[in-house]
Structure formats: C-alpha cells, structure tokens
Amino acid sequence: MLLFKNNPLRINIMWKFTLINVAVIGIAIWLAGVSVKDYACLLFANSPSVTIEESAIFDQTMQTFLIKASLTAVLIAAFIHYFL
C-alpha cells in the first residue's frame, strides 16, 4: 500500500521526515553560523583601531546576515529533501 504515490500515509510520513530534516539541518547551520559570527566579531573587536560603536554595528550586521543565510539554507534544504 505504501507504493502508491497518492497514499495519505506516505504523504504524512514524507512531511514528518521533511520537518525532521529541516530541524536538524537548521540546528547545524545555526551552530556553525553562530560560531563563525562570534569569532569574526571577536577578531573585529580586538582590532586596535575599532571603536565600541563600530564593533556593535559589525555585530548587528553579522547577526542579520546569519539569520538571512540560515533561513535561506533551511528553505533550500527542505525543498531539495522533499523533491528528491
């Protein structure tokens, strides 16, 4: 019965697998991104010619890029997982 393409059980299982995959990939992407962001902000803040305000702006910019990149990567991973 699982061999039929429009089987509701098969569709339900595919959605669950997709959501689990998105969650796992999202966590991995977020952890890697946060690590890179924090290290980049640390290096930038320790530069002798950087003020506290510049460091805060850099940190906020990196946080914004991290969120956008993570969401994009999770959406692409979900799309690829579901259709392949």
Side-chain angles (χ1 to χ4, degrees):
M1 193 159 177
L2 279 175
L3 298 176
F4 296 110
K5 193 171 191 167
N6 293 328
N7 184 346
L9 180 61
R10 182 176 185 269
I11 292 170
N12 190 22
I13 290 172
M14 281 300 293
W15 276 109
K16 287 180 182 178
F17 281 145
T18 300
L19 291 176
I20 290 169
N21 189 38
V22 166
V24 169
I25 290 173
I27 290 168
I29 290 169
W30 185 257
L31 288 174
V34 167
S35 299
V36 170
K37 179 195 86 71
D38 287 346
Y39 187 63
C41 290
L42 176 72
L43 290 177
F44 188 78
N46 287 337
S47 179
S49 63
V50 175
T51 65
I52 294 172
E53 293 83 20
E54 290 172 332
S55 180
I57 292 170
F58 182 77
D59 186 42
Q60 183 61 37
T61 303
M62 291 295 290
Q63 184 71 25
T64 303
F65 286 145
L66 172 64
I67 291 169
K68 288 178 184 178
S70 296
L71 289 175
T72 302
V74 167
L75 290 174
I76 290 170
F79 178 79
I80 290 171
H81 174 79
Y82 184 76
F83 288 106
L84 295 181

